[in-house]
Amino acid sequence: MTTFTYFKNIDGIYLKNLDNEAIVFVDGDEFDKNLKTNGFKSTFKEILNNIPNNINNNNKFLSIMIVTNMNCNLCCSYCFENNNRKNDFLKIEDISNICNNVKEFFEKGNYNGISITFTGGEPLLNFEFIKKLTEKIKNIFYNKIVYFSIITNGTKISEKMLIFFDKYRYNLQITFDGSKKFHDLERKTSEDIGTYEIILDNLSRILDYTNITLNIRFNITKFNFKSIGDVLDDLSYLGNNALIHIYFEFLDVCKKNIYYLTEREKINISKCLIDKIFKYDFDKPKGYISGGLCMYKNNTAYTINSDMNIYKCYSLVGYNNFIVSNLTNLVDISGTGTLCNNKACNVYELCYGGCPFSQFNELGIMVKNCRFEYLNFFNKYIFKKELEKELNTIVDIDDIHLDKV
């Protein structure tokens, strides 16, 4: 099934395929004629089939997250790893076992490509390991598509690292916790030094490297969301706004936590944030998928922890009862599949029951977390902003519809 949003005015219909972000316009007379002849579903299906697809859905990727170490140079108050900070570092001598494991899974699954994401702790504290493993993986899979990413706090980046990341076309994700005032309260060193200015300085150097993809994530709370405009101001001073991909997530906490937000609060905050991102012409947020076929649910992803144990979901690292195996044993990495039985739901293919870890935080079990209200809003609102930019006029969100065929 293909999920899409659409908007109809007197000229015709604008339709967006949420699978690949492509937008197409169909003349009104032509659309009405097809609608009368073929009916709603067949008409939209024909339009969607004719939209050029820039994503090769035939590519089956093996996705692996590698926790290089649990140590970190920062002390964020909400970090789930604060209680799991063992002195575990993956070592150069572990690379052979890791590569054998990855190669076995790859060959067993008959994949077309592989995606490796390094995380921690702070993974750049173990840069030599990352460097050696990247080179080894690239040599083993020399004739396959290989993507490399790293999730870093952005404080330990050197010129040597940037040259390396540029060579291997890395995707870098760096997080802000609001403006300097809020960020430095959360993301500070053990010496109580804030890191906001350090990160901004490093971002200016990253943008000099054309083969590095830069993703900026905002951790949003009810306390810091009004300050995001200040961060966007600071990022815009770096130039190259279109090269900076901005997205945001709300902290995944239980209802008793001071950072907890209701779905309605998240919708209201998201509206403000999306408006600001479009105002600054940053690379816009993509269509929102809540959980989707995430690591826990799919059959093509797993996490290697710094202690050499394997988990299905990165967020479950440190919960020993969720250890699947270890590097020396090749086991089945099948996920649960969908957690939702409502296949008629218009956002079913964007969700499959949402992120079960959100429910784990609240209930202690990995179960369905329905996000229909938020998914419906977010994807419509992104399309609304795209249309307003294209048509140079105000579009009412109530005139935008979300459906699937």
Side-chain angles (χ1 to χ4, degrees):
M1 301 290 284
T2 299
T3 309
F4 62 96
T5 48
Y6 66 95
F7 167 74
K8 193 174 187 299
N9 63 12
I10 59 173
D11 298 318
I13 188 165
Y14 293 84
L15 184 144
K16 179 180 180 181
N17 183 343
L18 296 182
D19 287 351
N20 63 6
E21 300 285 316
I23 298 174
V24 67
F25 171 76
V26 178
D27 177 78
D29 292 338
E30 179 185 345
F31 175 79
D32 291 337
K33 180 180 177 182
N34 288 338
L35 191 64
K36 186 176 181 180
T37 304
N38 302 318
F40 180 86
K41 293 288 184 182
S42 296
T43 298
F44 277 99
K45 193 168 186 177
E46 182 181 350
I47 296 171
L48 288 163
N49 287 339
N50 289 328
I51 295 179
N53 194 340
N54 57 6
I55 297 176
N56 185 353
N57 293 319
N58 294 321
N59 279 343
K60 183 183 176 185
F61 275 79
L62 176 64
S63 298
I64 304 170
M65 294 196 76
I66 299 178
V67 183
T68 61
N69 50 278
M70 295 303 290
N71 289 30
C72 186
N73 60 316
L74 302 186
C75 304
C76 306
S77 66
Y78 55 76
C79 182
F80 79 95
E81 289 160 2
N82 284 336
N83 297 323
N84 297 313
R85 289 200 175 175
K86 304 172 184 176
N87 196 29
D88 290 330
F89 277 74
L90 288 172
K91 303 175 181 64
I92 302 296
E93 50 265 35
D94 296 326
I95 288 178
S96 179
N97 278 339
I98 292 172
C99 287
N100 289 337
N101 174 275
V102 172
K103 190 175 180 183
E104 285 187 73
F105 272 119
F106 188 90
E107 292 173 349
K108 182 181 178 182
N110 193 28
Y111 295 97
N112 302 108
I114 185 168
S115 173
I116 304 283
T117 300
F118 295 102
T119 187
E122 172 46 50
L124 293 183
L125 297 178
N126 202 1
F127 176 68
E128 285 305 311
F129 168 82
I130 292 171
K131 181 174 180 290
K132 295 293 184 183
L133 181 57
T134 299
E135 293 167 345
K136 185 77 171 177
I137 290 289
K138 194 66 177 175
N139 285 334
I140 292 173
F141 300 100
Y142 66 92
N143 61 342
K144 303 292 183 181
I145 302 171
V146 183
Y147 295 124
F148 293 107
S149 303
I150 187 164
I151 301 171
T152 170
N153 60 41
T155 63
K156 305 295 288 185
I157 297 173
S158 68
E159 212 64 42
K160 172 186 173 183
M161 293 174 183
L162 291 177
I163 292 170
F164 173 80
F165 293 144
D166 189 69
K167 177 181 178 180
Y168 288 96
R169 309 182 77 86
Y170 258 73
N171 183 312
L172 269 62
Q173 177 187 301
I174 297 173
T175 301
F176 283 97
D177 281 75
S179 65
K180 177 176 171 59
K181 170 187 172 182
F182 291 97
H183 180 95
D184 285 349
L185 285 173
E186 284 293 350
R187 292 185 171 250
K188 51 191 175 183
T189 67
S190 56
E191 293 82 26
D192 207 34
I193 299 172
T195 59
Y196 187 86
E197 296 294 343
I198 296 170
I199 295 172
L200 281 180
D201 288 342
N202 286 336
L203 291 181
S204 66
R205 294 189 294 119
I206 292 170
L207 289 170
D208 290 335
Y209 290 85
T210 56
N211 290 326
I212 296 175
T213 300
L214 179 59
N215 288 278
I216 300 296
R217 167 179 165 145
F218 294 134
N219 281 339
I220 303 300
T221 72
K222 64 178 64 179
F223 305 110
N224 71 13
F225 80 92
K226 291 182 179 178
S227 75
I228 298 303
D230 295 334
V231 190
L232 295 174
D233 275 336
D234 290 337
L235 291 175
S236 66
Y237 294 143
L238 300 176
N240 296 317
N241 287 12
L243 300 180
I244 303 176
H245 173 60
I246 303 285
Y247 77 104
F248 54 89
E249 293 287 352
F250 299 95
L251 290 185
D252 229 343
V253 294
C254 64
K255 291 179 181 178
K256 294 180 180 178
N257 193 290
I258 61 170
Y259 293 116
Y260 178 77
L261 291 162
T262 65
E263 288 292 277
R264 179 48 53 183
E265 287 175 316
K266 290 177 181 178
I267 285 173
N268 291 335
I269 291 172
S270 295
K271 180 179 179 295
C272 296
L273 296 178
I274 294 169
D275 287 344
K276 290 176 181 177
I277 292 169
F278 271 82
K279 174 184 175 183
Y280 286 86
D281 283 329
F282 288 104
D283 184 24
K284 67 178 177 62
K286 301 298 187 290
Y288 189 81
I289 298 175
S290 176
L293 276 181
C294 65
M295 299 184 78
Y296 189 74
K297 289 181 280 188
N298 72 33
N299 301 325
T300 62
Y302 63 99
T303 297
I304 299 173
N305 192 27
S306 55
D307 60 6
M308 308 283 275
N309 284 318
I310 291 177
Y311 295 78
K312 269 300 291 174
C313 172
Y314 162 69
S315 297
L316 293 170
V317 165
Y319 295 96
N320 291 339
N321 54 321
F322 285 99
I323 294 173
V324 175
S325 183
N326 57 56
L327 272 182
T328 58
N329 297 320
L330 185 65
V331 298
D332 184 10
I333 59 168
S334 296
T336 62
T338 180
L339 297 174
C340 177
N341 295 321
N342 186 12
K343 294 183 179 180
C345 175
N346 282 349
V347 300
Y348 174 80
E349 281 76 15
L350 304 180
C351 177
Y352 296 107
C355 173
F357 187 71
S358 297
Q359 293 292 70
F360 181 81
N361 280 328
E362 187 65 37
L363 306 173
I365 52 176
M366 298 285 280
V367 292
K368 181 177 81 169
N369 177 36
C370 181
R371 300 289 309 280
F372 174 81
E373 185 181 11
Y374 188 79
L375 282 164
N376 188 54
F377 156 78
F378 192 99
N379 287 289
K380 285 182 179 180
Y381 200 75
I382 290 289
F383 191 36
K384 163 186 161 69
K385 300 302 293 185
E386 291 170 327
L387 288 169
E388 289 177 343
K389 187 175 181 179
E390 175 68 24
L391 303 176
N392 195 29
T393 188
I394 300 297
V395 174
D396 191 332
I397 194 170
D398 290 334
D399 292 330
I400 294 176
H401 308 277
L402 187 148
D403 212 315
K404 66 179 183 179
V405 290

